[in-house]
């Protein structure tokens, strides 16, 4: 199992988890939900206390990943399987992402 904290504009919004079967769960942080001015990470993940589950990496996170030749180069340089979406997300989306979302790996 692998996990990361998800940040929106530098504020922790929740935790994204990949289990051993490559299924995904995103859960908003309870403290984040208490803030009346908090925004959803994505329109596809509206604010709620119940976790979201998916057989595929949620589109908001998958869209943060590189594609094509850039993905191949990243995979080679980082020594990560090019099919490992979660691994690439953890390695490349901690700083200076195109959008407002960043992730921070959680060491288990």
């Amino acid at each position: 199992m692998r996990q990361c904290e998800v940040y929106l504009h530098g504020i922790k919004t929740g935790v994204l988890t990949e289990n051993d079967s490559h299924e995904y769960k995103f859960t908003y942080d309870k403290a984040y939900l208490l803030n009346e001015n908090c925004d959803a990470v994505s329109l596809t993940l509206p604010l709620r206390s119940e976790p979201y589950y998916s057989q595929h990496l949620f589109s908001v996170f998958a869209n943060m990943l590189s594609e094509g030749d850039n993905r191949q180069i990243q995979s080679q340089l980082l020594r990560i399987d090019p099919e490992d979406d979660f691994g690439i997300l953890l390695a490349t989306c901690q700083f200076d992402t195109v959008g407002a979302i960043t992730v921070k790996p959680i060491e288990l």
Side-chain angles (χ1 to χ4, degrees):
M1 181 171 72
R2 299 185 286 183
Q3 293 184 314
C4 64
E5 294 174 333
V6 176
Y7 292 81
L8 181 63
H9 301 291
I11 300 168
K12 182 181 172 187
T13 61
V15 174
L16 177 63
T17 304
E18 178 194 52
N19 68 21
D20 295 334
S21 300
H22 302 288
E23 297 166 329
Y24 301 92
K25 177 174 85 169
F26 176 73
T27 308
Y28 279 103
D29 187 79
K30 290 178 183 175
Y32 183 74
L33 291 173
L34 291 175
N35 181 346
E36 62 188 43
N37 296 321
C38 64
D39 292 318
V41 170
S42 166
L43 292 175
T44 60
L45 297 171
L47 297 171
R48 70 180 196 188
S49 57
E50 298 83 18
Y52 287 93
Y53 295 93
S54 178
Q55 298 295 316
H56 307 282
L57 185 61
F58 297 97
S59 60
V60 64
F61 304 113
N63 287 334
M64 296 172 66
L65 303 175
S66 59
E67 298 175 338
D69 290 340
N70 286 339
R71 186 178 181 112
Q72 292 300 320
I73 292 168
Q74 280 181 334
S75 297
Q76 288 175 337
L77 292 173
L78 298 169
R79 294 181 174 88
I80 298 173
D81 181 337
E83 300 301 316
D84 182 3
D85 289 342
F86 202 83
I88 293 172
L89 180 77
L90 294 177
T92 63
C93 296
Q94 295 183 44
F95 311 102
D96 298 327
T97 60
V98 173
I101 299 172
T102 54
V103 301
K104 178 182 175 187
I106 299 173
E107 300 297 326
L108 299 176

